[in-house]
Amino acid sequence: MADSQKSCYFYENMFCLDNKIWAPILMILGSCVSIVAQIAFEEKALEYNVLHKFTGATIGGGVSIYDFNRDGLDDLTLSSYAGQQLSFYINTGSGFELIPPLVNNTEIVKQINWVDYDNDGDSDLYIAANDGISRLYEQTGDLKFEDVTQSSGLPLNTHFGYGACWGDYNRDGWLDLYYASKGIIGDPDAIRSYNRLFKNNADGTFSERTFEADVSDEGKLPFCAAFLDYNNDMWPDIYIANDKLTYNTLLENTGGGTFEDVSVATGANARMNAMCVNPGDYNQDGWMDIYVTNTPVGSQYLKNSGTLNEDGFLELKNFAVDLGIDFRGGNCWGSNFLDADNDGDLDLYVSSSIPRPKLISSAFFENINHDHFIAPEIEGLLKDTSSSYSNAIGDINNDGNIDIVVQNNPPDNFFIWENKSVNDNNWVKLQLEGKLSNRDGIGARIEAYIGDLYQMQFTLCGSGFLGQNSSYKHIGIGAGTIIDSLVITWPTGHVDRFYDVVPHQTFKIIEGASTNGEITLEDGVEIVERNITTPTLQIENEEAIKIFPNPGNDFFIIESERKISHLEIYNLNGQLLDRRVIDDFRYNYNTKLWIPGVYIYKTIFDNATYAIKKWIKI
C-alpha cells in the first residue's frame, strides 16, 4: 500500500496505522506462562467514600457503573427509596465524591440507564420507576439536565415498572426503548400487563410501536428484559424474565420492524420465578447464552449451541445443573458474567437474598476451561450475609481488574467489591463510538482472537436485574501478550478489524477506523442521518487562545482566558479523531503517538462559541 493510502487515526492511548493498533506497553509483559490465578475480592465502599443505603421495604433498586461525565473514570449512580433523591458519585481517581443530585427525582427507582439517545455525544439519563412515572432527562451540557419525558412523547402513566433496556431494533442508527411493566396503576384490567416499545424518531421524540411490532408479551409478570442477538443476524432480539411461573419469552427480530415469539420453538420458555436476563458466552463458541436467576428451586442457564432443532429453530437448553450454576441457596436476583481473573473466560457473580440471617447469600462461580464452574472459597465474599438484589460491574480504579457494586437491602449499605485478584494475566479495554450506528455502539459484536483463544461480547444498555455495567468493554486475554486480531461488527453491519493489539490499554474505537472512515451498510439497513447540533458562532478574539509549542513534537499546551469546556481534534479531512472534556483554562495534551502532520483543534467554550486553529507535529 502506498504511503498516501495509509489510514491514520488517533484515539485516546491509541494509534492506528494500516489497520494495526500500536500503543506503548505500560508494563513488562514477561513470559507467556501465567501463574495460577488467585481470585480475591475485598469490600471497600467506605474507603471509596460511598456510604449509601437503600431504605424502605421493596424488591431491589437500580445500580449503575457508568462514566457519565466522560472523563475516563467510571462513576456511580445509586437508587434510593420513594421520597429520596438518587445519589450521584463522581470518580475522582482515588475515591468517589457525592455531588448534588443531577435530577429532581424521588420515585421508587428501579432501572437506571445512562444513554445517548439523541446521538449528541453526551450522556442522557432514563429512570424506570415502580409505582411511579418513568422519566427521560436530556443532558443540555455540563451535566445539566432537562426532563423531556412529556415533550419526547414517552408516557406519563404511573405503572408497576422494573427493568428497562435500550437497543436499535430497526438498525437506523438511533437507540429505542423497551421496558417491562406489570401493569398501569388505576387500570381496572391491571392483570392485563404488557411491556412497551418506543421507536426513536431521530428528532428528540419517540413513537410507541408496542403492538405494531408485536412485543407486548401481555398478561405476564415481567421483571426485566434485554436486547440481545441470539441468532447472530445482528437484528436485536428481546428476552424477557417473567415472574410467578408465567413463562419467559424470547422475541426474535424479523428485521422488518416486527418480532416473532419463538419461546416455545427454541425451548426458551422457561417456567419459573425469573428475576434477571444475563446474556453471555461462557464456552466461547460465538453463540449468546442466557442466564436467568430464580428462587431456591434453581436458576437456569439457557445454552445456545447454534444448532437447529427438527423444526428449524435454534435450540436453547437448560444446562445450569450440568455447569454447576443452578444456585439453590436463596432467592437469586441480579447476576453478571465477568472475567474476574483475566484468564480469558467468563466467571459468574449472583446476588441473592436469604431470609435467615448470618448465612452467606451471594455467590461467585469460577469458569473452568469453558466446561463447568466451581464455587471457590473467596475470603471477602465469605463474609457476605446481606440480602442483595442488583449489581453492576466495571473497573472503577482502572487497575485492569473488574470490580462489583452491589445494592443491599437494609440494614446494610451498598457494597463495593474491589477485585484484589493476583495473577500475571493481561487485558484490554475498549470504548466504542458509532458514526452511523448509534453513538454508544449498543448492539455491536466484539470478537477477539488470541492464539487459540476466541472471545465474543455483545454491547448492552440495561441487563441483569436493574443493573447497568460500564460502557468500557473488558477483555481478559490470559497469558497472551498480544491480541492477534480484534473484530468489531457494528449495528450497521460494518466490520472493523485491527491486528497486533497490545494489551494493558484502554482504546477508543470509532466506527470506520480500520476502513479510512468509510462505512459499509449491510443489505436491508437504512440509516437516519444525524442532524447534530454543534456550536455555530465562532468567537472573534481567537488570539485569546494560545497553543504551544507550535510546531511541536510530543505534546502541546492550550491556554485560554475563558474556561474551556471541550476539546475536539480533527484531521485535514474533517474527521473527528478525539473529543475530551476539559473544564479548565489550561490543558496539556500528549501527542507522543501521533505521526507528523497537520491537525485541527476546536476549542469549545459553551453551547454557542468555539475557536478553531491548526497545530503541526514535526
Side-chain angles (χ1 to χ4, degrees):
M1 179 183 289
D3 288 345
S4 60
Q5 295 178 301
K6 291 181 179 179
S7 57
C8 168
Y9 305 90
F10 173 77
Y11 305 103
E12 187 172 356
N13 295 334
M14 182 182 78
F15 179 66
C16 172
L17 180 62
D18 281 353
N19 301 346
K20 291 189 177 183
I21 295 179
W22 304 88
I25 300 178
L26 298 183
M27 61 174 288
I28 298 175
L29 297 179
S31 70
C32 293
V33 179
S34 64
I35 62 173
V36 176
Q38 185 69 43
I39 299 175
F41 288 91
E42 185 176 350
E43 208 289 295
K44 290 286 194 75
L46 291 181
E47 291 188 32
Y48 277 101
N49 196 35
V50 176
L51 181 60
H52 187 77
K53 188 172 294 185
F54 186 84
T55 59
T58 188
I59 303 174
V63 54
S64 167
I65 299 180
Y66 194 88
D67 181 12
F68 57 72
N69 64 352
R70 306 205 174 203
D71 65 351
L73 298 169
D74 275 324
D75 310 301
L76 301 181
T77 310
L78 306 180
S79 57
S80 299
Y81 194 63
Q84 299 175 339
Q85 297 283 357
L86 282 169
S87 291
F88 299 87
Y89 288 86
I90 294 284
N91 193 333
T92 65
S94 58
F96 290 94
E97 177 186 351
L98 179 63
I99 63 173
L102 296 175
V103 298
N104 180 22
N105 190 302
T106 57
E107 304 278 11
I108 303 176
V109 171
K110 294 301 179 181
Q111 194 87 45
I112 299 169
N113 293 147
W114 287 99
V115 55
D116 187 3
Y117 81 96
D118 51 5
N119 281 334
D120 65 353
D122 58 26
S123 300
D124 310 299
L125 180 62
Y126 182 77
I127 297 173
N130 182 267
D131 192 7
I133 300 172
S134 299
R135 296 187 180 276
L136 176 65
Y137 298 90
E138 179 190 1
Q139 183 174 173
T140 58
D142 300 323
L143 294 182
K144 306 295 183 185
F145 293 85
E146 177 184 352
D147 185 346
V148 295
T149 311
Q150 185 171 11
S151 62
S152 68
L154 294 178
L156 296 175
N157 302 109
T158 298
H159 73 123
F160 291 112
Y162 276 87
C165 57
W166 295 74
D168 185 4
Y169 84 94
N170 56 358
R171 296 171 70 183
D172 65 352
W174 298 81
L175 288 173
D176 312 297
L177 169 64
Y178 186 77
Y179 69 70
S181 177
K182 292 190 174 184
I184 298 173
I185 297 174
D187 184 346
D189 192 19
I191 191 64
R192 183 180 171 268
S193 62
Y194 62 90
N195 304 326
R196 304 180 75 173
L197 173 68
F198 294 90
K199 174 184 171 294
N200 192 328
N201 296 322
D203 60 1
T205 68
F206 294 82
S207 296
E208 183 160 11
R209 292 291 184 266
T210 301
F211 298 104
E212 292 89 336
D214 201 14
V215 295
S216 61
D217 201 30
E218 295 183 53
K220 299 181 181 180
L221 295 171
F223 264 130
C224 291
F227 283 102
L228 51 86
D229 183 17
Y230 93 100
N231 56 359
N232 287 348
D233 66 354
M234 292 306 296
W235 291 94
D237 312 301
I238 302 173
Y239 192 78
I240 307 161
N242 291 311
D243 195 14
K244 305 300 182 185
L245 307 179
T246 54
Y247 295 100
N248 294 344
T249 307
L250 175 60
L251 301 174
E252 181 179 319
N253 193 330
T254 67
T258 62
F259 290 76
E260 178 185 358
D261 189 337
V262 295
S263 311
V264 176
T266 60
N269 62 325
R271 189 172 188 235
M272 57 194 297
N273 295 296
M275 316 298 191
C276 84
V277 180
N278 178 19
D281 180 17
Y282 90 96
N283 59 351
Q284 310 294 25
D285 65 352
W287 294 92
M288 187 66 69
D289 314 306
I290 309 169
Y291 186 69
V292 187
T293 54
N294 196 10
T295 58
V297 299
S299 299
Q300 294 201 18
Y301 187 89
L302 301 179
K303 180 180 177 181
N304 181 356
S305 63
T307 58
L308 301 179
N309 59 26
E310 59 184 14
D311 295 323
F313 290 89
L314 284 173
E315 193 170 52
L316 280 72
K317 289 186 177 181
N318 178 23
F319 273 74
V321 174
D322 305 70
L323 294 173
I325 52 176
D326 54 322
F327 190 19
R328 300 170 182 266
N331 291 319
C332 300
W333 299 94
S335 67
N336 258 304
F337 287 105
L338 69 158
D339 188 353
D341 49 3
N342 286 326
D343 65 349
D345 58 32
L346 293 179
D347 310 304
L348 176 67
Y349 178 82
V350 184
S351 290
S352 172
S353 62
I354 296 179
R356 300 182 301 278
K358 298 184 179 180
L359 292 179
I360 299 171
S361 54
S362 301
F364 178 87
F365 299 96
E366 182 181 1
N367 190 329
I368 305 299
N369 299 323
H370 309 123
D371 178 68
H372 66 283
F373 292 79
I374 63 171
E377 292 190 350
I378 299 174
E379 183 177 355
L381 298 180
L382 290 177
K383 301 175 183 177
D384 182 7
T385 59
S386 300
S387 288
S388 305
Y389 287 85
S390 57
N391 62 71
I393 59 172
D395 182 8
I396 61 176
N397 56 359
N398 277 352
D399 66 350
N401 290 324
I402 301 179
D403 311 300
I404 310 171
V405 177
V406 180
Q407 176 263 317
N408 301 311
N409 262 17
D412 297 312
N413 298 318
F414 279 62
F415 286 162
I416 295 180
W417 290 111
E418 182 180 296
N419 191 333
K420 308 290 286 187
S421 301
V422 177
N423 56 67
D424 64 353
N425 292 329
N426 300 314
W427 51 270
V428 68
K429 289 193 290 188
L430 309 176
Q431 184 184 23
L432 305 185
E433 181 179 315
K435 297 300 289 183
L436 293 182
S437 297
N438 66 87
R439 185 75 175 248
D440 288 341
I442 302 301
R445 179 183 173 97
I446 301 170
E447 297 171 283
Y449 298 82
I450 310 98
D452 294 331
L453 177 64
Y454 166 83
Q455 296 187 60
M456 183 272 288
Q457 295 189 33
F458 186 79
T459 59
L460 304 165
C461 181
S463 65
F465 178 75
L466 311 182
Q468 180 178 27
N469 297 329
S470 171
S471 64
Y472 299 96
K473 300 300 289 184
H474 190 108
I475 302 173
I477 63 173
T481 57
I482 200 165
I483 297 178
D484 300 312
S485 63
L486 184 66
V487 181
I488 314 294
T489 305
W490 299 85
T492 54
H494 177 79
V495 178
D496 278 312
R497 293 182 174 87
F498 305 96
Y499 304 98
D500 302 333
V501 181
V502 178
H504 287 258
Q505 307 286 331
T506 299
F507 299 117
K508 181 176 181 180
I509 299 181
I510 298 177
E511 185 177 16
S514 69
T515 55
N516 202 26
E518 296 183 6
I519 299 174
T520 303
L521 300 182
E522 182 182 302
D523 290 344
V525 174
E526 296 182 6
I527 296 297
V528 177
E529 294 286 349
R530 301 179 192 175
N531 181 19
I532 301 175
T533 301
T534 57
T536 57
L537 177 64
Q538 188 167 337
I539 66 171
E540 297 179 359
N541 184 17
E542 292 190 4
E543 297 304 317
I545 313 300
K546 297 179 180 179
I547 180 170
F548 58 91
N550 192 8
N553 192 0
D554 291 343
F555 71 94
F556 65 74
I557 297 172
I558 292 180
E559 285 186 350
S560 171
E561 296 176 356
R562 301 174 59 188
K563 181 178 281 191
I564 302 170
S565 171
H566 294 80
L567 177 67
E568 294 180 352
I569 308 294
Y570 296 82
N571 60 22
L572 289 179
N573 294 325
Q575 183 183 19
L576 178 65
L577 305 180
D578 192 22
R579 187 177 193 270
R580 298 194 181 187
V581 177
I582 306 300
D583 194 31
D584 205 344
F585 298 91
R586 177 185 171 98
Y587 189 74
N588 190 326
Y589 196 110
N590 189 321
T591 60
K592 188 174 183 179
L593 300 178
W594 293 20
I595 63 172
V598 180
Y599 297 86
I600 308 296
Y601 76 90
K602 177 189 285 188
T603 309
I604 303 172
F605 300 94
D606 50 44
N607 287 332
T609 58
Y610 67 85
I612 293 177
K613 282 193 173 183
K614 292 181 180 180
W615 183 77
I616 301 172
K617 173 161 181 173
I618 56 176

